[in-house]
């Protein structure tokens, strides 16, 4: 079966712009989580969605937001981009919640210039 | 979630068993031990998880001490493709997130 698909794979944006990243989970998976990975902070949890509802949120400013659609696909948005937002953004999906095995996508590499 | 401690780096010869330790002395009774790995520039990959019994799958074995304060991930016959950062994560069953530490950078040498 197809894995977790994240688009785009690479993105370059300018400070102050906004960006939307997309994640298509594995078919049948209803939980989608987002993580940010930077060399300095490592992998950090952003938020988790289940059945179109955000159930958990990490410690990130309000510029980071997300949503999940009825088909479980998810998007995350970052507004007013800062240089420090440059990172690998990873999406993970699982059947119900992270209690079951989580499958990660390849990530979207965002560079803010 | 309980905190985990892992060595920052380890080396292992190709074909030998790689044993990666993890300390989780504050683990509580309903928390599981999970292992993920991340090969360079890819998303993390689930390896194995367990509560208190030793577990084995096609990728690895997980040995959890009787007091559950530490565990060891064993890759029985390491290959060059096992070179990655390995993360030990402790989390309770209903948790909706994974809390990653710095992990262990495992290098398999030919």
């Amino acid at each position: 079966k197809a894995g977790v698909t994240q688009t785009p794979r690479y993105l370059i944006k300018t400070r102050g712009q906004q960006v939307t990243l997309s994640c298509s989970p594995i078919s049948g998976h209803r939980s989608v989580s987002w993580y940010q990975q930077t060399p300095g902070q490592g992998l950090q949890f952003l938020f988790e969605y289940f059945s179109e509802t955000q159930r958990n949120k990490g410690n990130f400013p309000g510029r980071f937001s997300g949503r999940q659609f009825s088909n479980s696909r998810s998007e995350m948005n970052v507004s007013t981009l800062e240089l420090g937002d440059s990172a690998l953004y990873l999406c993970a999906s699982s059947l119900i919640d992270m209690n079951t095995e989580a499958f990660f996508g390849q990530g979207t590499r965002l560079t803010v210039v | 979630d309980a905190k985990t401690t892992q060595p920052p780096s380890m080396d292992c010869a190709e074909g030998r068993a790689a044993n990666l330790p993890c300390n989780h002395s504050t683990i509580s009774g309903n928390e599981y031990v999970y292992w993920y790995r991340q090969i360079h520039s890819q998303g993390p990959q689930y390896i194995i998880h367990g509560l208190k019994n030793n577990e084995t799958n096609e990728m690895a074995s997980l040995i959890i001490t009787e007091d559950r304060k530490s565990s060891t991930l064993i890759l029985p016959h390491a290959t060059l493709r096992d070179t990655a950062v390995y993360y030990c994560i402790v989390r309770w069953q209903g948790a909706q997130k994974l809390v990653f530490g710095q992990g262990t950078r495992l290098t398999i040498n030919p």
Side-chain angles (χ1 to χ4, degrees):
Chain A
K1 57 182 176 182
V4 178
T5 304
Q6 292 188 247
T7 56
R9 288 293 311 278
Y10 302 93
L11 205 50
I12 300 175
K13 288 286 189 178
T14 305
R15 268 182 305 175
Q17 287 186 313
Q18 68 134 19
V19 67
T20 299
L21 311 181
S22 179
C23 172
S24 293
I26 291 172
S27 177
H29 284 194
R30 297 170 63 189
S31 171
V32 174
S33 298
W34 289 88
Y35 293 80
Q36 181 197 65
Q37 186 171 29
T38 60
Q41 299 298 319
L43 273 155
Q44 293 187 286
F45 171 77
L46 280 158
F47 25 65
E48 188 260 356
Y49 287 87
F50 178 80
S51 292
E52 303 177 65
T53 300
Q54 185 183 90
R55 297 194 299 184
N56 205 340
K57 189 178 191 311
N59 189 26
F60 279 82
R63 300 184 296 107
F64 291 81
S65 63
R67 60 178 176 168
Q68 186 180 34
F69 301 96
S70 58
N71 62 357
S72 293
R73 189 177 70 86
S74 178
E75 290 180 346
M76 68 162 283
N77 183 78
V78 188
S79 62
T80 321
L81 283 166
E82 300 176 0
L83 295 179
D85 297 332
S86 295
L88 179 66
Y89 289 88
L90 291 157
C91 165
S93 79
S94 64
L95 273 172
I96 300 174
D97 55 33
M98 293 291 114
N99 178 48
T100 52
E101 182 180 340
F103 294 85
F104 283 81
Q106 294 286 70
T108 294
R109 172 78 59 188
L110 172 65
T111 302
V112 182
V113 298
Chain B
D1 295 322
K3 182 178 168 55
T4 62
T5 303
Q6 299 178 252
S9 64
M10 292 182 63
D11 285 273
C12 180
E14 188 178 19
R16 305 297 292 267
N19 297 279
L20 292 92
C22 179
N23 284 318
H24 32 78
S25 58
T26 61
I27 192 170
S28 61
N30 62 350
E31 288 183 313
Y32 287 72
V33 180
Y34 280 74
W35 283 84
Y36 281 78
R37 73 179 182 183
Q38 187 174 25
I39 296 169
H40 183 61
S41 295
Q42 296 183 21
Q45 176 189 24
Y46 165 84
I47 301 173
I48 198 167
H49 76 281
L51 182 63
K52 54 184 177 181
N53 298 321
N54 297 338
E55 302 287 344
T56 296
N57 63 19
E58 65 278 3
M59 287 183 67
S61 295
L62 173 61
I63 309 297
I64 303 174
T65 58
E66 193 167 340
D67 64 6
R68 302 207 326 121
K69 293 185 177 182
S70 66
S71 60
T72 301
L73 178 74
I74 301 172
L75 307 178
H77 305 288
T79 71
L80 297 178
R81 287 182 293 183
D82 291 322
T83 292
V85 177
Y86 286 77
Y87 297 97
C88 169
I89 299 168
V90 170
R91 51 182 291 273
W92 61 282
Q93 198 164 6
Q96 293 149 1
K97 63 181 180 181
L98 297 168
V99 179
F100 290 85
Q102 295 305 307
T104 295
R105 184 172 298 278
L106 175 67
T107 302
I108 306 300
N109 300 306

Coordinates of all heavy atoms in Angstrom, one line a residue, chain A residues 43-110:
Chain A
L43 N 13.7 16.7 16.7 CA 12.3 16.5 16.3 C 11.4 17.0 17.4 O 11.4 16.5 18.5 CB 12.1 15.0 16.1 CG 12.4 14.4 14.7 CD1 12.8 13.0 14.8 CD2 11.3 14.7 13.8
Q44 N 10.5 17.9 17.0 CA 9.5 18.5 17.9 C 8.1 18.3 17.4 O 7.9 18.6 16.2 CB 9.9 19.9 18.2 CG 11.2 20.2 18.9 CD 11.3 21.6 19.3 OE1 11.6 22.5 18.5 NE2 11.1 21.9 20.6
F45 N 7.2 18.0 18.3 CA 5.8 17.8 18.0 C 5.1 19.1 17.8 O 5.3 20.0 18.6 CB 5.2 17.0 19.1 CG 3.7 16.9 19.0 CD1 3.1 16.0 18.2 CD2 2.9 17.7 19.8 CE1 1.7 15.9 18.1 CE2 1.5 17.6 19.8 CZ 0.9 16.7 18.9
L46 N 4.4 19.2 16.7 CA 3.6 20.4 16.4 C 2.1 20.2 16.8 O 1.6 21.0 17.6 CB 3.7 20.7 14.9 CG 5.0 21.4 14.4 CD1 5.2 21.2 12.9 CD2 4.9 22.9 14.7
F47 N 1.5 19.3 16.1 CA 0.1 19.0 16.5 C -0.4 17.7 15.9 O 0.3 17.1 15.1 CB -0.9 20.1 16.0 CG -0.5 20.9 14.9 CD1 -0.3 20.4 13.6 CD2 -0.2 22.3 15.0 CE1 0.1 21.1 12.5 CE2 0.2 23.1 14.0 CZ 0.4 22.5 12.7
E48 N -1.5 17.2 16.4 CA -2.1 15.9 16.0 C -3.6 16.1 15.7 O -4.3 16.8 16.5 CB -1.9 14.9 17.1 CG -2.3 13.5 16.6 CD -3.7 13.0 17.1 OE1 -4.3 13.7 17.9 OE2 -4.1 11.9 16.8
Y49 N -4.0 15.5 14.6 CA -5.4 15.6 14.3 C -6.0 14.2 14.2 O -5.3 13.2 13.7 CB -5.6 16.3 12.9 CG -5.4 17.8 13.0 CD1 -4.1 18.3 12.9 CD2 -6.4 18.7 13.2 CE1 -3.9 19.7 13.0 CE2 -6.2 20.0 13.3 CZ -4.9 20.5 13.2 OH -4.7 21.8 13.3
F50 N -7.3 14.1 14.5 CA -8.0 12.9 14.4 C -9.5 13.2 14.1 O -10.1 14.0 14.8 CB -8.0 12.1 15.7 CG -8.7 10.8 15.7 CD1 -8.2 9.6 15.1 CD2 -10.0 10.7 16.2 CE1 -8.9 8.5 15.0 CE2 -10.7 9.5 16.2 CZ -10.2 8.4 15.6
S51 N -10.0 12.6 13.0 CA -11.3 12.9 12.6 C -11.6 14.4 12.5 O -12.6 14.9 13.1 CB -12.4 12.2 13.5 OG -12.3 10.8 13.3
E52 N -10.7 15.1 11.9 CA -10.8 16.6 11.6 C -10.7 17.4 12.9 O -10.9 18.7 12.8 CB -12.2 16.9 10.9 CG -12.3 16.1 9.6 CD -13.7 16.4 8.9 OE1 -13.9 17.5 8.5 OE2 -14.5 15.4 8.8
T53 N -10.4 16.9 14.0 CA -10.2 17.6 15.2 C -8.8 17.6 15.7 O -8.2 16.6 15.8 CB -11.2 17.0 16.3 OG1 -12.5 17.1 15.9 CG2 -11.0 17.8 17.6
Q54 N -8.3 18.8 16.1 CA -7.0 18.8 16.7 C -7.1 18.4 18.2 O -7.8 18.9 19.0 CB -6.5 20.3 16.7 CG -5.0 20.4 17.2 CD -4.5 21.8 17.2 OE1 -4.7 22.5 18.2 NE2 -4.0 22.3 16.1
R55 N -6.4 17.3 18.5 CA -6.5 16.7 19.8 C -5.3 17.1 20.7 O -5.4 17.1 21.9 CB -6.5 15.2 19.7 CG -7.7 14.6 19.0 CD -7.9 13.1 19.3 NE -6.8 12.4 18.8 CZ -6.7 11.0 18.9 NH1 -7.7 10.4 19.4 NH2 -5.7 10.4 18.4
N56 N -4.2 17.5 20.1 CA -3.0 17.8 20.9 C -2.2 18.8 20.1 O -2.1 18.8 18.9 CB -2.2 16.6 21.1 CG -1.4 16.7 22.4 OD1 -1.1 17.7 22.9 ND2 -1.0 15.5 22.9
K57 N -1.6 19.7 20.8 CA -0.8 20.8 20.2 C 0.5 20.9 21.0 O 0.6 20.9 22.2 CB -1.5 22.1 20.2 CG -0.9 23.2 19.4 CD -1.8 24.4 19.4 CE -1.3 25.5 18.4 NZ 0.1 25.8 18.4
G58 N 1.6 21.1 20.2 CA 2.9 21.3 20.8 C 3.1 22.8 21.2 O 2.2 23.6 21.0
N59 N 4.3 23.1 21.6 CA 4.6 24.4 22.1 C 5.2 25.3 21.0 O 6.4 25.6 20.9 CB 5.6 24.3 23.3 CG 5.8 25.7 23.9 OD1 4.9 26.5 23.9 ND2 7.0 25.9 24.6
F60 N 4.3 25.6 20.1 CA 4.7 26.5 18.9 C 3.8 27.7 18.9 O 2.7 27.6 19.3 CB 4.6 25.7 17.6 CG 5.8 24.8 17.3 CD1 5.9 23.5 17.9 CD2 6.8 25.2 16.5 CE1 7.0 22.7 17.7 CE2 7.9 24.4 16.3 CZ 8.0 23.2 16.9
P61 N 4.3 28.8 18.3 CA 3.5 30.0 18.3 C 2.3 29.8 17.3 O 2.2 28.9 16.5 CB 4.4 31.1 17.7 CG 5.5 30.3 17.1 CD 5.7 29.0 17.8
G62 N 1.3 30.7 17.5 CA 0.1 30.6 16.7 C 0.3 30.8 15.2 O -0.7 30.5 14.5
R63 N 1.5 31.1 14.8 CA 1.7 31.2 13.3 C 1.6 29.8 12.7 O 1.5 29.7 11.5 CB 3.1 31.8 13.1 CG 3.3 33.2 13.6 CD 4.7 33.7 13.2 NE 5.8 33.0 13.7 CZ 6.6 32.1 13.0 NH1 6.3 32.0 11.7 NH2 7.6 31.5 13.6
F64 N 1.8 28.8 13.5 CA 1.7 27.4 13.0 C 0.3 26.9 13.3 O -0.2 26.9 14.4 CB 2.7 26.5 13.8 CG 4.1 26.8 13.5 CD1 4.8 27.9 14.1 CD2 4.9 26.1 12.6 CE1 6.1 28.2 13.8 CE2 6.2 26.4 12.3 CZ 6.8 27.4 12.9
S65 N -0.3 26.5 12.2 CA -1.7 26.0 12.3 C -1.9 24.8 11.4 O -1.0 24.6 10.5 CB -2.7 27.1 12.0 OG -2.6 27.5 10.7
G66 N -2.9 24.1 11.6 CA -3.2 22.9 10.7 C -4.6 22.6 10.6 O -5.5 23.3 11.3
R67 N -4.9 21.7 9.8 CA -6.3 21.2 9.7 C -6.3 19.8 9.1 O -5.3 19.4 8.4 CB -7.2 22.2 8.9 CG -6.7 22.4 7.4 CD -7.7 23.3 6.7 NE -7.3 23.7 5.4 CZ -8.1 24.3 4.5 NH1 -9.3 24.6 4.8 NH2 -7.6 24.6 3.3
Q68 N -7.4 19.1 9.2 CA -7.6 17.8 8.6 C -8.9 17.8 8.0 O -9.9 18.3 8.5 CB -7.5 16.7 9.7 CG -7.5 15.3 9.1 CD -7.4 14.2 10.2 OE1 -8.0 14.4 11.3 NE2 -6.7 13.1 9.9
F69 N -8.9 17.2 6.8 CA -10.1 17.1 6.0 C -10.8 15.7 6.3 O -10.3 14.8 6.9 CB -9.8 17.2 4.5 CG -9.1 18.5 4.2 CD1 -7.7 18.6 4.2 CD2 -9.8 19.7 4.0 CE1 -7.0 19.8 3.9 CE2 -9.2 20.9 3.7 CZ -7.8 20.9 3.7
S70 N -12.0 15.6 5.7 CA -12.8 14.4 6.0 C -12.2 13.2 5.4 O -12.5 12.1 5.9 CB -14.3 14.6 5.4 OG -14.2 14.9 4.0
N71 N -11.3 13.3 4.5 CA -10.6 12.1 3.9 C -9.3 11.8 4.6 O -8.5 11.0 4.2 CB -10.4 12.3 2.4 CG -9.5 13.5 2.1 OD1 -9.1 14.2 3.0 ND2 -9.2 13.7 0.8
S72 N -9.1 12.5 5.8 CA -8.0 12.4 6.7 C -6.7 13.1 6.1 O -5.7 13.2 6.9 CB -7.6 10.9 6.9 OG -8.6 10.3 7.7
R73 N -6.7 13.6 4.9 CA -5.6 14.4 4.5 C -5.5 15.6 5.4 O -6.4 16.1 5.9 CB -5.8 14.8 3.0 CG -4.6 15.5 2.4 CD -4.8 15.8 0.9 NE -5.8 16.9 0.8 CZ -5.4 18.2 0.8 NH1 -4.2 18.6 1.0 NH2 -6.4 19.1 0.6
S74 N -4.2 16.1 5.5 CA -4.0 17.2 6.5 C -3.1 18.2 5.8 O -2.3 17.9 4.9 CB -3.3 16.7 7.7 OG -3.0 17.7 8.6
E75 N -3.3 19.4 6.2 CA -2.4 20.5 5.8 C -1.9 21.2 7.0 O -2.6 21.3 8.1 CB -3.2 21.5 4.9 CG -3.5 21.0 3.6 CD -4.3 22.1 2.7 OE1 -4.7 23.1 3.3 OE2 -4.4 21.8 1.5
M76 N -0.7 21.8 6.9 CA -0.2 22.7 8.0 C 0.2 24.0 7.3 O 0.6 24.0 6.2 CB 0.9 22.1 8.8 CG 2.2 21.9 8.1 SD 3.5 21.8 9.4 CE 3.8 23.5 9.9
N77 N -0.1 25.1 8.0 CA 0.2 26.4 7.5 C 1.1 27.1 8.4 O 1.0 27.0 9.7 CB -1.1 27.1 7.3 CG -0.9 28.5 6.7 OD1 -0.7 28.6 5.5 ND2 -0.9 29.5 7.5
V78 N 2.1 27.8 7.9 CA 2.9 28.7 8.7 C 2.8 30.1 8.1 O 3.1 30.3 6.9 CB 4.4 28.3 8.7 CG1 5.2 29.1 9.7 CG2 4.5 26.8 9.0
S79 N 2.4 31.0 8.9 CA 2.2 32.4 8.4 C 3.4 33.3 8.9 O 4.1 32.9 9.8 CB 0.9 33.0 8.9 OG 0.9 33.1 10.3
T80 N 3.6 34.4 8.2 CA 4.7 35.3 8.5 C 6.0 34.6 8.8 O 6.5 34.6 9.9 CB 4.3 36.2 9.8 OG1 2.9 36.5 9.7 CG2 5.1 37.4 9.8
L81 N 6.5 33.9 7.8 CA 7.7 33.1 8.0 C 8.9 33.8 8.5 O 9.1 35.0 8.2 CB 8.0 32.4 6.6 CG 7.1 31.3 6.2 CD1 7.3 31.0 4.7 CD2 7.4 30.0 7.1
E82 N 9.6 33.1 9.4 CA 10.8 33.7 9.9 C 12.0 32.7 9.5 O 11.7 31.6 9.2 CB 10.8 33.7 11.5 CG 9.6 34.6 12.0 CD 9.5 34.5 13.5 OE1 10.3 33.8 14.2 OE2 8.6 35.2 14.1
L83 N 13.2 33.3 9.6 CA 14.4 32.5 9.1 C 14.4 31.2 10.0 O 14.8 30.1 9.5 CB 15.6 33.2 9.3 CG 15.8 34.5 8.4 CD1 17.1 35.2 8.7 CD2 15.7 34.1 7.0
G84 N 14.1 31.2 11.2 CA 14.1 30.1 12.1 C 13.1 29.0 11.8 O 13.1 27.9 12.4
D85 N 12.2 29.3 10.9 CA 11.2 28.3 10.5 C 11.8 27.3 9.5 O 11.1 26.3 9.1 CB 10.0 28.9 9.9 CG 9.2 29.8 11.0 OD1 9.3 29.5 12.2 OD2 8.6 30.8 10.5
S86 N 13.0 27.6 9.0 CA 13.7 26.6 8.1 C 13.9 25.3 8.8 O 14.5 25.3 9.9 CB 15.0 27.2 7.7 OG 14.8 28.4 6.9
A87 N 13.3 24.3 8.2 CA 13.3 23.0 8.9 C 12.8 21.9 8.0 O 12.3 22.2 6.9 CB 12.5 23.0 10.2
L88 N 12.9 20.7 8.4 CA 12.3 19.5 7.8 C 11.0 19.3 8.5 O 11.0 19.1 9.7 CB 13.1 18.3 7.8 CG 12.6 17.0 7.2 CD1 12.4 17.2 5.7 CD2 13.5 15.8 7.6
Y89 N 9.9 19.4 7.8 CA 8.5 19.2 8.4 C 8.1 17.8 8.1 O 7.9 17.4 6.9 CB 7.6 20.3 7.9 CG 7.9 21.6 8.6 CD1 8.8 22.5 7.9 CD2 7.4 22.0 9.8 CE1 9.2 23.7 8.5 CE2 7.7 23.2 10.4 CZ 8.6 24.0 9.7 OH 9.0 25.2 10.3
L90 N 7.8 17.0 9.1 CA 7.4 15.6 8.9 C 6.0 15.4 9.3 O 5.5 15.9 10.3 CB 8.4 14.7 9.7 CG 9.8 14.7 9.3 CD1 10.7 14.3 10.4 CD2 9.9 13.7 8.1
C91 N 5.3 14.5 8.6 CA 4.0 14.1 8.9 C 4.0 12.7 9.2 O 4.7 11.9 8.6 CB 3.1 14.4 7.7 SG 1.5 13.7 7.6
A92 N 3.2 12.3 10.2 CA 3.1 10.8 10.5 C 1.6 10.5 10.6 O 0.8 11.2 11.0 CB 3.8 10.6 11.9
S93 N 1.3 9.3 10.2 CA -0.1 8.8 10.3 C -0.1 7.5 11.0 O 0.8 6.7 11.0 CB -0.7 8.7 8.9 OG -0.4 7.5 8.2
S94 N -1.3 7.3 11.6 CA -1.5 6.0 12.3 C -3.0 5.7 12.3 O -3.8 6.6 12.0 CB -0.9 6.0 13.7 OG -1.6 6.9 14.5
L95 N -3.3 4.4 12.6 CA -4.7 4.0 12.5 C -5.6 4.8 13.3 O -6.6 5.4 12.9 CB -4.8 2.5 12.8 CG -4.6 1.5 11.7 CD1 -4.6 0.1 12.3 CD2 -5.7 1.7 10.6
I96 N -5.3 4.9 14.6 CA -6.2 5.6 15.5 C -5.4 6.7 16.2 O -5.8 7.9 16.2 CB -6.8 4.7 16.6 CG1 -7.6 3.6 15.9 CG2 -7.6 5.4 17.6 CD1 -8.1 2.5 16.8
D97 N -4.4 6.4 16.9 CA -3.5 7.4 17.6 C -2.1 6.9 17.6 O -1.8 5.8 17.0 CB -4.1 7.7 19.0 CG -4.2 6.5 19.8 OD1 -3.4 5.5 19.7 OD2 -5.1 6.4 20.6
M98 N -1.3 7.6 18.3 CA 0.1 7.2 18.2 C 0.4 5.9 19.0 O 1.6 5.5 19.1 CB 1.0 8.3 18.7 CG 1.0 9.5 17.8 SD 1.9 9.2 16.3 CE 0.5 9.3 15.1
N99 N -0.6 5.4 19.6 CA -0.5 4.1 20.3 C -0.1 3.0 19.4 O 0.6 2.1 19.7 CB -1.7 3.8 21.1 CG -1.6 2.4 21.8 OD1 -0.6 2.2 22.5 ND2 -2.5 1.6 21.6
T100 N -0.7 3.1 18.2 CA -0.4 2.1 17.2 C 0.8 2.7 16.4 O 1.2 3.8 16.5 CB -1.6 1.9 16.2 OG1 -2.0 3.2 15.8 CG2 -2.7 1.2 17.0
E101 N 1.4 1.8 15.6 CA 2.6 2.1 14.8 C 2.4 3.4 14.0 O 1.3 3.5 13.3 CB 2.9 1.0 14.0 CG 4.2 1.1 13.1 CD 4.4 -0.1 12.3 OE1 3.9 -1.2 12.6 OE2 5.2 0.0 11.3
A102 N 3.3 4.3 14.1 CA 3.2 5.5 13.3 C 4.1 5.5 12.1 O 5.2 5.0 12.2 CB 3.6 6.7 14.2
F103 N 3.6 5.8 11.0 CA 4.4 5.8 9.7 C 4.6 7.3 9.3 O 3.7 8.1 9.2 CB 3.6 5.1 8.6 CG 3.4 3.7 8.9 CD1 2.3 3.2 9.6 CD2 4.2 2.7 8.3 CE1 2.1 1.9 9.9 CE2 4.0 1.4 8.6 CZ 3.0 0.9 9.3
F104 N 5.9 7.6 9.0 CA 6.3 8.9 8.7 C 6.4 9.1 7.2 O 6.9 8.1 6.5 CB 7.6 9.3 9.4 CG 7.5 9.7 10.8 CD1 7.4 8.7 11.8 CD2 7.4 11.0 11.2 CE1 7.3 9.0 13.1 CE2 7.3 11.3 12.5 CZ 7.2 10.3 13.5
G105 N 6.2 10.3 6.7 CA 6.5 10.6 5.3 C 7.9 11.0 5.2 O 8.7 11.0 6.2
Q106 N 8.3 11.4 4.0 CA 9.7 11.8 3.7 C 10.0 13.2 4.1 O 11.1 13.6 4.2 CB 10.0 11.6 2.2 CG 10.0 10.2 1.7 CD 11.2 9.4 2.2 OE1 11.4 9.1 3.3 NE2 12.0 9.1 1.2
G107 N 8.9 13.9 4.4 CA 9.1 15.3 4.9 C 9.1 16.3 3.8 O 9.3 16.0 2.6
T108 N 8.9 17.6 4.2 CA 9.0 18.7 3.3 C 10.2 19.6 3.9 O 10.1 20.0 5.0 CB 7.7 19.6 3.3 OG1 6.7 18.8 2.6 CG2 8.0 20.9 2.5
R109 N 11.2 19.8 3.0 CA 12.3 20.6 3.5 C 12.0 22.1 3.1 O 11.9 22.5 1.9 CB 13.6 20.2 2.7 CG 14.8 21.1 3.0 CD 15.4 20.9 4.3 NE 15.9 19.6 4.5 CZ 16.4 19.1 5.6 NH1 16.5 19.9 6.7 NH2 16.8 17.9 5.8
L110 N 11.7 22.9 4.1 CA 11.4 24.3 4.0 C 12.6 25.2 4.2 O 13.2 25.0 5.3 CB 10.2 24.7 4.9 CG 9.9 26.2 4.9 CD1 9.4 26.7 3.6 CD2 8.9 26.5 6.1

